[in-house]
Amino acid sequence: MRSECIGAARRILCVFPRYTSAFGTWEHAYPLTDGVQAFMPPQGLLLIASYLPEHWPVRFVDENIRSATCEDFEWADAVLVSGMHIQRHQMNEICRRAHAFGLPVAIGGPSVSACPDYYPSFDYLHVGELGDATDELIARIAHDASRPKRQVVVKTVERLPMTNFPVPAYELAEMKKYFLANIQYSSGCPYQCEFCDIPALYGRNPRIKRPEQIIAELDKILECGVISTVYFVDDNFIGNRKAALELLPHLVEWQKRTGYVMRLACEATLNIAKRPEILEKMREAYFVTVFCGIETPDPDALKAMHKDQNMMVPILDGVQTINSYGMEVVSGIIMGLDTDKPDTSNALLEFVAQSRIALLAINLLQALPKTPLWDRLAREKRLILDQDRESNVDFRLPYDEVVDAWRQCMKIAFEPEWLFARYLHQVKYTYRNRIELPASPERRSWANIKRAVIMLRNIFWKVGVRGDYRKVFWKFAFACLRRGDIEGLISSAMIAHHAILYAREAAQGRQNASNYSVRLREAA
Ligand code: SF4
């Protein structure tokens, strides 16, 4: 549904700020693709764009693809911005630019909802999710499109049920220029990991959309020309297991109807390994990757961070179970925990060796506002709000030791030889468990074949001929080609290329040690 505001029509410019380079933004992989320029379209901003009154013209600019121009600002009556903490400086900068044109600027999304005081210059702060605050904001702008005399804060008390969410305005985004398309089925998570702000921001009782809404969104993404991967950005895809089970048959049907041109991926807790009925359906729906916040292989550390759900199955068994359904596990890992010891990095690398997980997002612990961790560290006077540090946590171990251990882990974990050995294991023991895809007309379409050819050409030339790890690459590539696994070759080579280059920069101190850090470095 849309807002029913009947006031004057306003031209709304939605601007999404540039990301700071991070392990999970994959920018080193873009040159190997067929023209990707940014990571994922912003769900929140596209949702608001489609919720605005029907008669309001909307323009959307993702500054990861192009900057908002003077012409954009001159066209607009008001500007909407959204983003995460890591984009804080960029959001404040967009506000400054919009004000130069005398425009009122509103900010919504996760960062302002957790920390309204980060955004003193904005005219409107939208705190919380889509709901009554959104209606109030729209009504205010409809009533008066000039800048208010002082900052107005609107807070959502009554959220719009997710079953009433409109399909995000994917058509406004240049969907083919994104590395991944994305979709949101649920919001919230029942667990309470100490470092995580999801339960406080979105609740512990996951709210969900109807399966028909997801199918409509997938149809629209396909209409926008996307034929790659759709990532379910739900904080925990099995936060509501019953709902996940309800959705999956619809996804299977959709894949059959549309010829399996799309790969699916999601985030879920590791205890998904205890649910064969869910895993089997995910396999059928062609989920190829599950991001699991494993965080640490140390049981004492898991207990301390209240991540008991990771102990419901032995971690290595859990990873293997997920792999046996054709899904690769990507793991989140945190270093700098209070339980870390001087040999923690060795234990971590041993875990990488045993689990054969190819891709790990290794981060230094960062305390986020609205988390139990933040409150505890504040009580213990261990929050250090100094933007020159890699983390705001006063670690138990010496700071330099922790940062060096992180850099060493990144360097070793993503040495080309070791990384491709793990990918080869995935090709042999995970990818082969995937369903055999039909030779559908959609998969054999010219667009699909052309895309694969372009990516192969880029990979062979930029990595296989000009890359400094080409020998290792070719060993892996020939193994894939012998198996006829072109898809595995393309996806692994692209991701590996980013990981290798990013890890080298990290080891040299040229990348942030925490994806949540507000330190700014230029995007690569
Ligand atoms: S399981 Fe994931 S989303 Fe849920 S509280 Fe823990 S870290 Fe956050």
Side-chain angles (χ1 to χ4, degrees):
M1 67 178 273
R2 280 177 173 274
S3 159
E4 285 167 6
C5 175
I6 49 167
R10 304 291 184 200
R11 286 186 300 272
I12 303 296
L13 176 65
C14 298
V15 187
F16 188 64
R18 193 172 52 81
Y19 273 118
T20 299
S21 173
F23 185 78
T25 48
W26 311 116
E27 67 270 359
H28 291 305
Y30 302 167
L32 305 182
T33 65
D34 59 337
V36 165
Q37 290 182 29
F39 173 41
M40 281 201 282
Q43 274 285 320
L45 211 48
L46 294 177
L47 176 66
I48 294 284
S50 66
Y51 184 72
L52 290 169
E54 204 158 9
H55 59 296
W56 288 26
V58 183
R59 200 179 273 193
F60 167 75
V61 176
D62 182 342
E63 296 217 312
N64 293 286
I65 294 177
R66 73 161 178 93
S67 297
T69 60
C70 293
E71 197 272 318
D72 290 321
F73 287 115
E74 277 161 6
W75 169 87
D77 292 320
V79 178
L80 301 188
V81 179
S82 169
M84 301 186 289
H85 292 320
I86 197 166
Q87 295 160 297
R88 170 181 170 187
H89 296 296
Q90 292 92 320
M91 289 191 275
N92 280 317
E93 178 58 19
I94 293 167
C95 179
R96 190 195 60 74
R97 282 153 58 203
H99 281 169
F101 290 83
L103 295 170
V105 195
I107 180 170
S111 181
V112 67
S113 296
C115 298
D117 50 320
Y118 282 1
Y119 302 100
S121 313
F122 279 80
D123 302 291
Y124 295 102
L125 304 189
H126 180 292
V127 175
E129 292 180 79
L130 187 65
D132 49 2
T134 323
D135 292 330
E136 187 185 338
L137 177 66
I138 292 169
R140 281 177 180 265
I141 295 174
H143 175 70
D144 182 358
S146 58
R147 290 186 57 194
K149 285 201 174 51
R150 59 182 71 85
Q151 187 174 69
V152 176
V153 182
V154 291
K155 286 189 187 170
T156 295
V157 177
E158 210 170 303
R159 295 161 167 155
L160 185 74
M162 286 185 80
T163 46
N164 289 345
F165 275 22
V167 174
Y170 297 122
E171 73 280 3
L172 295 181
E174 295 177 88
M175 292 293 282
K176 286 206 254 183
K177 291 193 176 166
Y178 288 96
F179 194 64
L180 299 170
N182 55 5
I183 218 165
Q184 182 175 20
Y185 180 46
S186 66
S187 177
C189 177
Y191 300 111
Q192 279 186 302
C193 306
E194 191 192 30
F195 56 85
C196 180
D197 58 357
I198 298 297
L201 285 177
Y202 305 114
R204 294 189 58 199
N205 193 5
R207 295 166 305 119
I208 49 167
K209 292 179 184 168
R210 284 171 287 111
E212 302 77 53
Q213 290 173 279
I214 296 301
I215 298 305
E217 290 193 30
L218 285 169
D219 280 338
K220 193 157 174 191
I221 289 172
L222 205 53
E223 270 168 35
C224 292
V226 177
I227 39 169
S228 55
T229 305
V230 176
Y231 195 94
F232 280 77
V233 294
D234 308 33
D235 310 304
N236 183 1
F237 187 68
I238 56 159
N240 181 333
R241 287 191 292 271
K242 193 167 157 274
L245 263 175
E246 228 170 85
L247 172 67
L248 283 164
H250 294 266
L251 296 181
V252 174
E253 277 317 302
W254 184 82
Q255 288 281 40
K256 286 182 181 163
R257 169 162 67 81
T258 56
Y260 277 95
V261 278
M262 219 70 102
R263 297 149 54 97
L264 305 180
C266 70
E267 296 180 14
T269 37
L270 193 61
N271 54 358
I272 194 173
K274 283 181 64 182
R275 299 286 161 183
E277 71 284 13
I278 294 182
L279 292 171
E280 185 49 47
K281 281 281 166 212
M282 288 174 77
R283 179 173 176 271
E284 248 186 278
Y286 208 49
F287 274 84
V288 293
T289 307
V290 181
F291 181 98
C292 289
I294 291 175
E295 323 302 3
T296 165
D298 176 1
D300 291 339
L302 287 171
K303 216 179 192 112
M305 66 172 74
H306 307 299
K307 195 140 194 174
D308 299 337
Q309 67 272 22
N310 273 11
M311 294 192 285
M312 288 179 183
V313 270
I315 294 179
L316 292 174
D317 291 355
V319 172
Q320 221 172 41
T321 303
I322 297 169
N323 290 163
S324 72
Y325 287 88
M327 287 177 277
E328 185 181 335
V329 172
V330 173
S331 168
I333 294 287
I334 304 176
M335 296 179 75
L337 299 164
D338 282 5
T339 41
D340 278 8
K341 300 162 201 85
D343 67 346
T344 289
S345 47
N346 292 335
L348 182 55
L349 293 170
E350 180 54 34
F351 168 72
V352 178
Q354 287 181 4
S355 66
R356 315 279 192 105
I357 294 176
L359 199 65
L360 304 103
I362 308 173
N363 268 296
L364 277 195
L365 182 69
Q366 173 88 1
L368 296 177
K370 297 232 165 166
T371 60
L373 175 68
W374 175 281
D375 297 340
R376 175 168 70 80
L377 293 180
R379 275 196 312 275
E380 294 172 5
K381 304 206 177 347
R382 290 178 54 211
L383 280 177
I384 303 182
L385 305 177
D386 169 359
Q387 293 204 8
D388 286 333
R389 288 177 104 248
E390 294 283 354
S391 163
N392 59 1
V393 177
D394 184 7
F395 302 120
R396 293 279 189 218
L397 292 172
Y399 171 79
D400 289 339
E401 214 173 281
V402 175
V403 174
D404 283 349
W406 174 77
R407 289 184 181 151
Q408 266 307 100
C409 272
M410 290 295 288
K411 182 168 178 244
I412 297 171
F414 296 108
E415 284 286 352
E417 218 150 292
W418 197 24
L419 176 58
F420 275 108
R422 300 199 305 273
Y423 265 122
L424 196 53
H425 175 88
Q426 296 298 324
V427 171
K428 287 183 181 168
Y429 301 103
T430 300
Y431 302 173
R432 70 159 190 202
N433 299 322
R434 291 176 182 164
I435 53 168
E436 201 170 317
L437 296 180
S440 64
E442 293 85 352
R443 282 176 51 75
R444 282 181 294 144
S445 70
W446 171 234
N448 206 22
I449 292 169
K450 187 174 147 210
R451 194 169 164 264
V453 169
I454 292 173
M455 290 195 288
L456 277 177
R457 182 202 62 194
N458 291 342
I459 290 169
F460 288 162
W461 175 245
K462 291 179 182 168
V463 179
V465 176
R466 304 188 62 197
D468 59 23
Y469 60 90
R470 52 186 172 269
K471 258 194 190 159
V472 180
F473 164 76
W474 281 115
K475 198 171 146 203
F476 171 77
F478 284 131
C480 290
L481 292 171
R482 270 196 300 274
R483 293 171 171 270
D485 192 350
I486 305 285
E487 187 179 304
L489 165 58
I490 292 176
S491 61
S492 310
M494 279 199 311
I495 298 291
H497 189 63
H498 172 77
I500 290 165
L501 298 194
Y502 186 92
R504 286 175 182 172
E505 292 166 358
Q508 293 162 4
R510 292 194 285 125
Q511 288 291 357
N512 292 338
S514 167
N515 280 341
Y516 299 104
S517 164
V518 291
R519 289 181 67 181
L520 267 189
R521 296 183 206 271
E522 275 306 303

